[in-house]
Coordinates of all heavy atoms in Angstrom, one line a residue:
V80 N 135.1 125.3 47.1 CA 135.0 126.8 47.2 C 134.9 127.4 45.7 O 134.6 128.5 45.5 CB 136.2 127.4 47.8 CG1 136.2 127.1 49.2 CG2 137.6 127.1 47.2
D81 N 135.1 126.5 44.7 CA 135.1 127.0 43.3 C 134.4 125.9 42.4 O 134.8 125.6 41.4 CB 136.6 127.2 42.8 CG 136.8 127.8 41.6 OD1 136.3 129.0 41.4 OD2 137.4 127.3 40.6
N82 N 133.2 125.5 43.0 CA 132.6 124.3 42.5 C 132.0 124.5 41.0 O 131.7 123.6 40.4 CB 131.5 123.8 43.3 CG 130.4 124.9 43.6 OD1 130.5 125.9 43.0 ND2 129.5 124.5 44.5
H83 N 131.9 125.7 40.6 CA 131.5 125.9 39.2 C 132.5 125.5 38.2 O 132.2 125.2 37.0 CB 131.1 127.4 39.0 CG 132.2 128.4 39.3 ND1 132.3 128.8 40.6 CD2 133.2 128.9 38.6 CE1 133.3 129.7 40.6 NE2 133.9 129.7 39.5
N84 N 133.8 125.5 38.6 CA 134.9 125.1 37.7 C 135.3 123.7 37.8 O 135.7 123.1 36.7 CB 136.1 126.0 38.0 CG 136.0 127.3 37.4 OD1 135.5 127.5 36.3 ND2 136.6 128.3 38.1
S85 N 135.4 123.1 39.0 CA 136.0 121.8 39.1 C 135.5 121.1 40.3 O 134.8 121.6 41.2 CB 137.6 122.0 39.2 OG 137.9 122.5 40.5
G86 N 135.8 119.8 40.4 CA 135.4 119.0 41.6 C 135.6 117.6 41.2 O 135.9 117.2 40.1
I87 N 135.2 116.6 42.2 CA 135.5 115.3 42.0 C 134.4 114.7 40.9 O 134.6 113.5 40.4 CB 135.4 114.5 43.3 CG1 134.0 114.6 44.0 CG2 136.5 114.9 44.2 CD1 133.8 113.7 45.2
G88 N 133.4 115.4 40.5 CA 132.5 115.0 39.4 C 133.1 115.3 38.1 O 132.4 115.2 37.0
G89 N 134.4 115.8 38.0 CA 135.0 116.1 36.7 C 136.3 115.4 36.5 O 136.6 114.4 37.1
G90 N 137.1 115.9 35.6 CA 138.4 115.3 35.3 C 139.5 116.3 35.4 O 139.3 117.5 35.6
N91 N 140.6 115.8 35.0 CA 141.9 116.6 35.1 C 143.1 116.1 34.4 O 143.1 114.9 34.0 CB 142.3 116.8 36.7 CG 142.4 115.5 37.4 OD1 142.3 114.5 36.8 ND2 142.6 115.5 38.6
F92 N 144.0 117.0 34.1 CA 145.4 116.5 33.5 C 146.4 117.1 34.4 O 146.1 118.3 34.9 CB 145.5 117.1 32.1 CG 144.7 116.5 31.0 CD1 144.1 117.4 30.1 CD2 144.4 115.2 30.9 CE1 143.3 117.0 29.1 CE2 143.6 114.7 29.8 CZ 143.1 115.6 28.9
A93 N 147.5 116.5 34.7 CA 148.5 117.0 35.4 C 149.9 116.7 34.8 O 150.1 115.5 34.3 CB 148.5 116.5 36.9
V94 N 150.7 117.7 34.7 CA 152.2 117.4 34.4 C 152.9 117.5 35.7 O 152.8 118.6 36.4 CB 152.7 118.4 33.3 CG1 154.2 118.1 33.1 CG2 152.0 118.3 32.0
I95 N 153.5 116.4 36.1 CA 154.2 116.4 37.4 C 155.6 116.2 37.3 O 156.1 115.1 36.6 CB 153.6 115.3 38.3 CG1 152.0 115.6 38.4 CG2 154.2 115.3 39.7 CD1 151.3 114.4 39.3
R96 N 156.4 117.0 37.9 CA 157.9 116.7 38.0 C 158.2 116.3 39.4 O 158.0 117.0 40.4 CB 158.7 118.0 37.6 CG 160.1 117.8 37.3 CD 161.0 118.3 38.4 NE 162.4 118.3 37.9 CZ 163.4 118.3 38.7 NH1 163.2 118.3 40.0 NH2 164.7 118.2 38.3
Y97 N 158.8 115.1 39.5 CA 159.1 114.6 40.9 C 160.5 115.0 41.2 O 161.4 115.2 40.3 CB 159.0 113.0 40.9 CG 157.7 112.6 40.5 CD1 157.4 112.1 39.1 CD2 156.5 112.7 41.3 CE1 156.1 111.7 38.8 CE2 155.4 112.2 41.0 CZ 155.1 111.7 39.7 OH 153.8 111.4 39.3
A98 N 160.8 115.0 42.5 CA 162.1 115.5 43.0 C 163.2 114.7 42.4 O 164.3 115.3 42.3 CB 162.1 115.3 44.6
N99 N 163.0 113.5 42.0 CA 164.1 112.7 41.3 C 164.3 113.1 39.9 O 165.1 112.4 39.2 CB 163.8 111.2 41.5 CG 162.6 110.7 40.7 OD1 162.1 111.5 39.9 ND2 162.1 109.5 40.9
G100 N 163.6 114.0 39.4 CA 163.8 114.5 38.0 C 162.9 113.9 37.0 O 162.8 114.3 35.8
S101 N 162.2 112.8 37.3 CA 161.3 112.2 36.4 C 160.0 113.0 36.1 O 159.6 113.7 37.1 CB 160.9 110.7 36.7 OG 160.1 110.7 37.9
I102 N 159.4 112.9 35.0 CA 158.2 113.8 34.7 C 157.1 112.9 34.2 O 157.3 112.1 33.3 CB 158.6 114.9 33.7 CG1 159.6 115.7 34.3 CG2 157.4 115.6 33.3 CD1 160.0 117.0 33.5
D103 N 155.9 113.0 34.7 CA 154.8 112.3 34.4 C 153.7 113.2 33.7 O 153.5 114.4 34.1 CB 154.0 111.7 35.7 CG 154.2 110.4 36.0 OD1 154.7 109.5 35.0 OD2 153.8 109.9 37.0
A104 N 152.9 112.6 32.8 CA 151.7 113.4 32.3 C 150.5 112.4 32.7 O 150.3 111.3 32.2 CB 151.8 113.6 30.8
L105 N 149.8 112.8 33.8 CA 148.7 112.0 34.2 C 147.3 112.5 33.7 O 147.0 113.6 33.7 CB 148.6 111.9 35.8 CG 149.9 111.4 36.5 CD1 149.6 111.5 38.0 CD2 150.1 110.0 36.1
D106 N 146.6 111.4 33.1 CA 145.3 111.7 32.4 C 144.1 111.2 33.2 O 143.9 110.0 33.2 CB 145.5 111.1 31.0 CG 144.1 111.1 30.3 OD1 143.2 111.6 30.8 OD2 144.2 110.7 29.0
G107 N 143.5 112.1 33.9 CA 142.2 111.8 34.7 C 141.1 112.3 33.9 O 140.0 112.7 34.5
R108 N 141.2 112.3 32.6 CA 140.0 112.9 31.8 C 138.8 112.0 31.9 O 138.9 110.8 32.0 CB 140.5 112.9 30.3 CG 139.5 113.5 29.4 CD 139.4 115.0 29.5 NE 138.8 115.7 28.3 CZ 138.4 116.9 28.2 NH1 138.5 117.7 29.4 NH2 137.9 117.4 27.2
E109 N 137.6 112.5 31.7 CA 136.4 111.7 31.8 C 136.4 110.7 30.5 O 137.0 111.0 29.4 CB 135.2 112.6 31.6 CG 134.9 113.5 32.8 CD 135.7 114.9 32.9 OE1 136.6 115.0 32.0 OE2 135.2 115.7 33.6
M110 N 135.8 109.6 30.8 CA 135.7 108.7 29.7 C 134.1 108.6 29.2 O 133.3 108.6 30.1 CB 136.0 107.2 30.1 CG 137.5 107.2 30.4 SD 137.9 105.5 31.0 CE 137.8 104.5 29.6
A111 N 133.9 108.5 27.9 CA 132.5 108.2 27.5 C 132.1 107.0 28.1 O 132.8 105.9 28.1 CB 132.5 108.3 26.0
P112 N 130.8 106.9 28.4 CA 130.3 105.6 28.9 C 130.3 104.5 27.9 O 130.3 104.9 26.6 CB 128.8 106.0 29.3 CG 128.5 107.3 28.9 CD 129.8 108.0 28.5
V113 N 130.2 103.2 28.3 CA 130.3 102.1 27.3 C 129.1 102.3 26.2 O 129.4 102.0 25.0 CB 130.2 100.7 28.0 CG1 129.9 99.6 27.1 CG2 131.4 100.5 28.8
K114 N 128.0 102.7 26.7 CA 126.9 102.8 25.7 C 126.9 104.0 24.8 O 126.0 104.3 24.1 CB 125.6 102.8 26.6 CG 125.2 101.5 27.1 CD 123.7 101.4 27.5 CE 123.4 100.1 28.2 NZ 122.6 100.3 29.4
A115 N 127.9 104.9 24.9 CA 128.0 106.1 24.1 C 128.2 105.7 22.7 O 128.9 104.7 22.4 CB 129.0 107.0 24.6
H116 N 127.8 106.4 21.7 CA 128.1 106.1 20.3 C 128.0 107.5 19.5 O 127.4 108.4 20.0 CB 127.1 105.0 19.8 CG 125.6 105.5 19.9 ND1 125.0 106.1 18.9 CD2 124.7 105.4 20.9 CE1 123.8 106.4 19.2 NE2 123.6 106.0 20.5
R117 N 128.5 107.2 18.3 CA 128.8 108.4 17.4 C 127.5 109.4 17.2 O 127.7 110.6 17.2 CB 129.2 107.9 16.1 CG 129.7 108.9 15.0 CD 130.1 108.2 13.8 NE 130.4 109.1 12.7 CZ 129.6 109.8 12.1 NH1 128.3 109.7 12.2 NH2 130.0 110.7 11.1
D118 N 126.4 108.8 17.1 CA 125.2 109.5 16.7 C 124.3 109.8 17.9 O 123.1 110.2 17.7 CB 124.4 108.9 15.6 CG 125.3 108.8 14.4 OD1 126.2 109.6 14.2 OD2 125.0 107.9 13.5
M119 N 124.8 109.7 19.1 CA 123.9 109.7 20.3 C 123.3 111.1 20.5 O 122.3 111.2 21.3 CB 124.6 109.3 21.6 CG 125.8 110.1 22.1 SD 126.7 109.4 23.5 CE 125.5 110.0 24.9
Y120 N 123.9 112.2 20.0 CA 123.3 113.5 20.1 C 122.5 114.0 18.9 O 122.1 115.2 18.8 CB 124.4 114.5 20.5 CG 125.1 114.1 21.8 CD1 126.4 113.7 21.8 CD2 124.4 114.1 23.0 CE1 127.1 113.3 23.0 CE2 125.0 113.7 24.2 CZ 126.3 113.4 24.2 OH 126.9 113.0 25.3
L121 N 122.3 113.1 17.9 CA 121.5 113.5 16.7 C 120.1 113.3 17.0 O 119.6 112.3 17.5 CB 121.9 112.6 15.5 CG 123.4 112.7 15.0 CD1 123.4 112.0 13.6 CD2 123.9 114.1 14.9
R122 N 119.3 114.4 16.7 CA 117.9 114.3 16.7 C 117.4 114.8 15.4 O 117.7 116.0 14.9 CB 117.2 115.2 17.9 CG 117.8 114.7 19.2 CD 117.1 113.3 19.6 NE 117.5 112.9 20.9 CZ 118.6 112.2 21.2 NH1 119.5 111.8 20.2 NH2 118.9 111.8 22.4
D123 N 116.6 114.1 14.7 CA 116.1 114.4 13.3 C 117.4 114.6 12.5 O 117.4 115.6 11.7 CB 115.1 115.5 13.2 CG 113.9 115.2 14.1 OD1 113.5 114.0 13.9 OD2 113.4 116.1 14.8
G124 N 118.5 113.9 12.7 CA 119.6 114.0 11.8 C 120.5 115.3 12.2 O 121.5 115.5 11.5
K125 N 120.2 116.0 13.2 CA 120.8 117.2 13.5 C 121.5 117.1 14.9 O 120.7 116.6 15.9 CB 119.9 118.4 13.5 CG 120.2 119.4 12.3 CD 119.4 120.6 12.4 CE 120.3 121.7 12.8 NZ 120.4 122.7 13.5
G126 N 122.8 117.5 15.1 CA 123.4 117.4 16.4 C 122.7 118.4 17.4 O 122.5 119.6 17.1
D127 N 122.2 117.9 18.5 CA 121.5 118.7 19.6 C 122.5 119.0 20.7 O 122.7 118.2 21.6 CB 120.3 118.0 20.0 CG 119.4 118.9 21.0 OD1 120.0 119.8 21.5 OD2 118.3 118.5 21.2
T128 N 123.1 120.2 20.8 CA 124.1 120.6 21.8 C 123.4 120.7 23.1 O 124.1 120.6 24.1 CB 124.8 121.8 21.5 OG1 123.9 122.8 21.2 CG2 125.8 121.7 20.2
S129 N 122.1 120.9 23.3 CA 121.5 121.0 24.6 C 121.8 119.6 25.3 O 121.8 119.5 26.5 CB 120.1 121.3 24.6 OG 119.3 120.4 24.0
L130 N 121.7 118.4 24.5 CA 121.8 117.2 25.1 C 123.3 116.9 25.6 O 123.5 116.2 26.5 CB 121.4 116.1 24.0 CG 120.0 116.1 23.6 CD1 119.7 115.1 22.5 CD2 119.1 115.8 24.9

Side-chain angles (χ1 to χ4, degrees):
V80 295
D81 192 58
N82 60 1
H83 50 273
N84 280 324
S85 70
I87 61 173
N91 51 6
F92 292 136
V94 178
I95 305 181
R96 195 253 187 201
Y97 303 99
N99 66 8
S101 63
I102 299 185
D103 255 351
L105 297 182
D106 172 353
R108 184 72 162 166
E109 292 85 344
M110 291 174 74
V113 168
K114 287 194 183 135
H116 59 91
R117 187 183 178 280
D118 296 336
M119 66 184 278
Y120 298 114
L121 298 193
R122 296 294 180 270
D123 299 325
K125 249 188 107 231
D127 182 344
T128 52
S129 67
L130 296 172

